[in-house]
Amino acid sequence: RQLRGELDALQDRHCNELSSAHNALKEKEEQHAKALEDLRTRQLCEHSENLQAKDEEHHKNLEDFKRQLRGELDALQDRHCNELSSAHNALKEKEEQHAKALEDLRTRQLCEHSENLQAKDEEHHKNLEDFKRQLRGEL
């Protein structure tokens, strides 16, 4: 009986120790689960902050690129405007040269035509005078 009592006491003590160990293990698991959840939360926050920082950096880079591109486009537009203006001025100058050349050609042609008319007029006048002399001679 005494042995039975000791055995029961030992069994109770083991049960209590086992229960305490089980409770301690359960508490440790809960602590680990909470620590793991806290770690995940911190990692998510850090990741979110990193993503936000990257997003801000990308947005800044995009704005910088837009400014650079706008500058390049403005410079290109200015260059094209200058080239167009130069081409327009050159074309205007060529048109003026052609207009002057055409006017000079018309003047030369008029002079030649006038000289030809004058020569024809003199020839007709001479022929008329010859014809008049011939007629007088026949009369």
Side-chain angles (χ1 to χ4, degrees):
R1 234 187 257 202
Q2 181 184 359
L3 191 58
R4 183 70 168 151
E6 287 177 17
L7 243 157
D8 286 342
L10 186 62
Q11 187 177 6
D12 287 344
R13 198 177 92 219
H14 279 287
C15 278
N16 288 337
E17 288 176 0
L18 187 59
S19 178
S20 293
H22 179 71
N23 288 339
L25 181 61
K26 189 174 178 183
E27 189 176 319
K28 281 287 184 191
E29 285 179 348
E30 289 171 357
Q31 290 173 355
H32 286 160
K34 184 178 181 324
L36 184 60
E37 186 61 31
D38 290 346
L39 177 63
R40 285 183 181 151
T41 301
R42 278 196 314 277
Q43 286 176 334
L44 282 174
C45 287
E46 289 172 5
H47 186 64
S48 177
E49 289 169 1
N50 288 342
L51 286 177
Q52 186 174 356
K54 285 290 184 188
D55 187 48
E56 290 170 2
E57 180 184 351
H58 291 159
H59 182 71
K60 180 188 172 296
N61 289 343
L62 179 62
E63 291 304 314
D64 290 346
F65 178 71
K66 284 180 182 178
R67 275 192 295 279
Q68 178 187 356
L69 189 59
R70 173 53 54 204
E72 289 175 7
L73 286 173
D74 288 346
L76 186 60
Q77 186 177 12
D78 288 346
R79 195 179 89 223
H80 284 167
C81 284
N82 290 337
E83 289 173 357
L84 185 59
S85 179
S86 294
H88 178 73
N89 291 339
L91 180 61
K92 189 174 177 181
E93 188 177 322
K94 282 289 183 190
E95 286 176 346
E96 290 170 357
Q97 290 172 356
H98 287 159
K100 185 179 181 315
L102 184 59
E103 187 60 33
D104 290 348
L105 178 62
R106 285 181 181 151
T107 301
R108 279 196 314 276
Q109 286 176 338
L110 281 173
C111 287
E112 290 172 3
H113 187 63
S114 177
E115 289 170 1
N116 287 341
L117 285 177
Q118 189 175 356
K120 287 286 185 187
D121 188 45
E122 289 172 3
E123 181 184 342
H124 291 154
H125 184 67
K126 180 183 170 283
N127 288 342
L128 182 61
E129 290 301 317
D130 288 347
F131 181 70
K132 283 182 183 177
R133 273 192 296 275
Q134 184 184 14
L135 266 176
R136 283 187 203 133
E138 289 179 5
L139 288 175

